Amino acid sequence: MNQTAKKDKDPNAPETIIVPADTDQVHCDGGVGPLGHPRVWYSFDGAQSVECGYCDRLFVKESEA
Ligand SMILES: [Zn+2]
């Protein structure tokens, strides 16, 4: 067992959330822990990605290429 090889997520690293390409709105509440925040909704407004202003999570539309 090599415990140093364990890959914990860096709690300070913003996550990238892939959402279906036809998504118009996403909500984010930061999940549990220090990044949690009130649930907010974001609209893509035609963009490919939107970033949460609270926790810096990036929501990116899945590409259908
Ligand atoms: Zn958030």
Side-chain angles (χ1 to χ4, degrees):
M1 279 287 206
N2 182 358
Q3 293 201 325
T4 61
K6 155 174 105 165
K7 287 200 173 177
D8 279 348
K9 262 198 279 187
D10 180 350
N12 295 316
E15 287 183 69
T16 299
I17 316 289
I18 307 299
V19 299
D22 60 356
T23 303
D24 288 325
Q25 286 190 311
V26 293
H27 73 265
C28 183
D29 59 11
V32 294
L35 289 181
H37 58 73
R39 179 175 294 188
V40 284
W41 286 86
Y42 295 100
S43 171
F44 280 94
D45 252 341
Q48 271 304 111
S49 66
V50 64
E51 185 180 290
C52 176
Y54 284 89
C55 66
D56 290 342
R57 276 183 181 169
L58 188 64
F59 294 86
V60 179
K61 284 190 188 182
E62 191 172 45
S63 92
E64 292 188 1

